[in-house]
């Protein structure tokens, strides 16, 4: 089964768990449904934010950060959330950009889209639109969005270069990319890395920090910055790794503090002014 189909199945199941009274429990997220509290997905949103949105949007959150808290959003702006899930970051963004702005959520999973639209209805937020589609092929025109956000979704794509090119395409000149994602800092043995990635987010394809920077630059972004927001210790993953039959103490020196959530910023360059006959027809 392709990565995309596995992700769609896992996230569809997570949405259904929420609608039937459980938690998303993907990578473990809440102390419901038999899931333990997880250091990746827990305590990402403060009480002021969680008070603004339905509980189902919080339970369906599978993120590793809080891009809406870290991104600068201005009244009247248009925001796009890649892999919007239950809609938590879309609804929070919509409130910040106000009625003159708009927030789009893009997701490929029917169950998550249904949950997100129900959460929108409960929240009473009008300036939101949820779109069905894939983050590798965004169903919006060129130069139509001020800010692209995402919460621990780009790492799930098998074609991250295409995702970043698409994000650049839909951004207006001077538009901002502001995403939370999992990154790796330093070398990790492949077998250990695969187990850690399973723990980090159901199915993860976390990039090395320098790889992420290189892909952003290659896509055409400027002003690239990667800021760690939550560094994971071996103790965070001990229970999961032990269950996978891995000798945690033996691998601890190879893993400690190498996996992290990060806030990733970049800017789409503005069009250069014509400065002579060589650049103008």
């Amino acid at each position: 089964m392709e990565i995309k189909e596995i992700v769609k199945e896992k996230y569809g199941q997570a949405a259904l768990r929420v609608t039937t009274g459980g938690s998303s429990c993907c990578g473990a997220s809440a102390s419901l449904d038999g899931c333990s509290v997880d250091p990746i997905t827990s305590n990402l949103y403060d009480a002021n934010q969680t008070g603004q949105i339905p509980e189902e949007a919080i339970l369906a959150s599978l993120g590793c950060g809080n891009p809406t808290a870290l991104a600068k959003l201005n009244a009247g702006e248009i925001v796009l959330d890649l892999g919007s899930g239950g809609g938590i970051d879309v609804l929070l963004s919509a409130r910040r950009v106000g009625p003159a702005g708009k927030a789009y959520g893009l997701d490929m999973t029917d169950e998550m889209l249904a949950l997100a639209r129900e959460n929108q209805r409960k929240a009473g937020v009008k300036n939101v639109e949820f779109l069905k589609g894939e983050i590798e092929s965004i169903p919006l025109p060129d130069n139509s969005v001020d800010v692209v956000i995402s919460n621990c979704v780009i790492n799930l794509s098998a074609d991250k270069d295409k995702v970043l090119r698409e994000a650049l395409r839909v951004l207006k000149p001077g538009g901002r990319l502001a995403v939370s994602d999992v990154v790796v800092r330093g070398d990790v043995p492949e077998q250990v890395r695969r187990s850690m990635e399973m723990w980090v987010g159901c199915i993860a394809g976390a990039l090395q920090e320098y790889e992420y920077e290189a892909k952003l630059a290659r896509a055409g972004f400027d002003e690239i910055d990667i800021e760690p927001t939550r560094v994971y210790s071996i103790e965070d993953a001990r229970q999961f790794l032990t269950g996978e039959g891995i000798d945690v103490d033996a691998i601890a020196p190879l893993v400690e503090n190498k996996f992290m959530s990060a806030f990733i910023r970049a800017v789409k360059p503005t069009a250069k002014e014509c400065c002579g006959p060589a650049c103008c027809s």
Side-chain angles (χ1 to χ4, degrees), residues 14-15 17-19 21-26 29-32 53-62 86 88 112 115 119:
R17 275 193 294 271
V18 171
T19 58
S23 73
S24 56
C25 194
C26 187
S29 66
S31 55
L32 300 172
I53 52 178
E55 183 183 15
E56 288 83 358
I58 303 164
L59 291 173
S61 175
L62 300 168
I88 185 170
M112 277 295 186
L115 177 61
N119 287 332

Side-chain angles (χ1 to χ4, degrees), residues 76-80 144-148 170-172 174-177:
E77 288 190 316
I78 299 172
V79 182
L80 167 65
S144 58
V145 172
D146 295 293
V147 186
V148 170
V170 300
L171 280 169
K172 300 174 184 178
R176 292 104 64 202
L177 180 82

Side-chain angles (χ1 to χ4, degrees), residues 125-147:
V125 180
K126 303 297 184 184
N127 57 330
V128 161
E129 184 176 351
F130 289 102
L131 307 171
K132 183 174 181 180
E134 299 176 356
I135 62 175
E136 297 86 359
S137 183
I138 299 171
L140 287 173
D142 297 357
N143 308 314
S144 58
V145 172
D146 295 293
V147 186

Side-chain angles (χ1 to χ4, degrees), residues 78-97:
I78 299 172
V79 182
L80 167 65
D81 182 14
L82 300 180
S84 49
I88 185 170
D89 294 318
V90 178
L91 297 175
L92 290 172
S93 296
R95 293 191 184 280
R96 288 183 60 189
V97 300

